[in-house]
Amino acid sequence: DAHILFTSMGFPLDLTELMAAEINFTVDTDGFDKLMEHDRKLSELAEAARKGITSKDMSMEAEQTAWLHNNNVPLTNSDAKYIWHENPKAKVVAVFTGRGGSDSG
């Protein structure tokens, strides 16, 4: 698949087409272009989310951390995050759903 070769290994489409032609195969360049356009749109959405351009801002500011403190939510203890051979136990005490959008945080 030309798309997988290109996106995962950086293998050029034109070289894939040349190699395919040598054995009387063709490359679905229309399909390749559609998949690349899909990837481009996903990338744009991811970048917008990273920059906080989406409808909800997932960054915690002073107001959110103050809420945690005022509601006696303990700090996260991450001492065991690199212990691989144990099954940790966890208790969810708060869920941050973001700021902005329809459910203001």
Side-chain angles (χ1 to χ4, degrees):
D1 181 82
H3 179 259
I4 291 173
L5 287 172
F6 181 78
T7 57
S8 64
M9 295 178 246
F11 201 81
L13 178 62
D14 59 344
L15 188 52
T16 302
E17 290 176 306
L18 285 172
M19 293 175 76
E22 288 177 359
I23 56 172
N24 296 319
F25 279 44
T26 59
V27 175
D28 178 11
T29 53
D30 288 338
F32 177 87
D33 291 339
K34 286 177 185 174
L35 289 170
M36 290 302 293
E37 178 65 17
H38 178 262
D39 287 353
R40 186 187 65 74
K41 288 178 181 176
L42 282 177
S43 181
E44 286 177 358
L45 290 171
E47 182 65 11
R50 187 187 70 77
K51 290 182 176 181
I53 301 173
T54 59
S55 63
K56 283 198 172 193
D57 181 359
M58 295 303 292
S59 61
M60 292 185 73
E61 302 291 340
E63 180 182 356
Q64 288 74 39
T65 54
W67 183 93
L68 294 171
H69 178 75
N70 293 338
N71 287 277
N72 299 316
V73 176
L75 295 175
T76 300
N77 179 349
S78 60
D79 292 343
K81 68 181 171 184
Y82 296 113
I83 299 173
W84 301 105
H85 304 293
E86 293 180 14
N87 290 324
K89 293 182 181 177
K91 179 181 177 185
V92 177
V93 294
V95 176
F96 179 60
T97 59
R99 297 182 294 124
S102 60
D103 298 321
S104 188

